[in-house]
Each structure stands twice: as C-alpha cells, then as structure tokens.
Amino acid sequence: MTALADATVEQVNALGAVTEMLVEVERTISSMQAVRDGFLAVGSRLAVDVARQAASRDEAELALRTVAAEFAAALRVSDRTVQRRMTDASFLVERFPRVWRALGAGLISAGHARVICDAG
C-alpha cells in the first residue's frame, strides 16, 4: 500500500488504534440493535397474546396497532414504521435465533442479519 508509505510509525499506530475503536463501536451498535429487536419482539408477542383474547379479528388488529402506537409515540416515529420493525424483529428472534444471537454478540451487522433472513 503506497498511500501510507510516507506515514510515520506513530501515524500508522494511530490508524490501527482508530480502526480497532471503530470496529468496537460497530460491534456495540450491532449488539444494541439486537437488544432493540428483542424488545420489539416482546411487544409483538404481547400484542399477539392480547389479540388471542379478542372476540373479533378487528379487535386483534387493534391490539397490534395499539402496541405499535405506544412504541411509536415513545420513539417519535410513525406507528407503521414500528409495526414493520416489530414484524421484522419477531421474524428474526423467533425464526432465526442464532442469527439474532450473532447480532447481539456483535459478530454480524444488522445488514448481514437482514440478508441471512431474506435468504432463509
């Protein structure tokens, strides 16, 4: 790599240190995304449990929308966005638990998890 041929030892070491820190930040972000997905999946499960007690299909749909609206208000995003995130999170956590755990461990990124789930 000739671009760093004139770099000092200190500069190369600094680049290595910054690279290591950047990798650790990405691992932390992936881990936190897995935590968020876990909470979204729990919310989805709560909505499903309430929906099972509902007398009609409309009431069941209302349960999901209510949980999504609660999360959306707290997160300051649209309820439709939260509904989509809840669906995606439930799919990841329930159908691909090993992928979810790898995301939580920072071994893969959310993008990797998405591609694996799409392929699966």
Side-chain angles (χ1 to χ4, degrees):
M1 193 172 4
T2 60
L4 294 179
D6 295 328
T8 66
V9 171
E10 292 82 12
Q11 289 169 324
V12 171
N13 290 340
L15 177 61
V18 169
T19 301
E20 287 177 23
M21 287 185 277
L22 183 59
V23 167
E24 189 56 38
V25 166
E26 287 297 318
R27 283 189 184 129
T28 301
I29 290 170
S30 292
S31 179
M32 294 309 298
Q33 287 174 321
V35 170
R36 180 189 62 197
D37 287 344
F39 284 122
L40 289 168
V42 167
S44 184
R45 174 60 61 194
L46 288 170
V48 167
D49 289 346
V50 170
R52 283 190 183 132
Q53 300 168 14
S56 71
R57 172 106 169 106
D58 290 340
E59 288 179 41
E61 178 65 24
L62 184 59
L64 178 61
R65 293 180 70 187
T66 300
V67 171
E70 182 75 21
F71 287 169
L75 299 173
R76 296 185 191 109
V77 297
S78 77
D79 60 330
R80 298 294 181 182
T81 296
V82 172
Q83 282 182 15
R84 181 184 44 79
R85 287 180 184 173
M86 287 170 65
T87 299
D88 292 347
S90 293
F91 187 74
L92 173 63
V93 170
E94 294 172 10
R95 301 242 180 172
F96 295 90
R98 290 177 63 191
V99 174
W100 179 53
R101 286 192 298 273
L103 180 64
L107 300 175
I108 62 173
S109 70
H112 292 120
R114 209 172 15 260
V115 168
I116 293 167
C117 289
D118 288 348

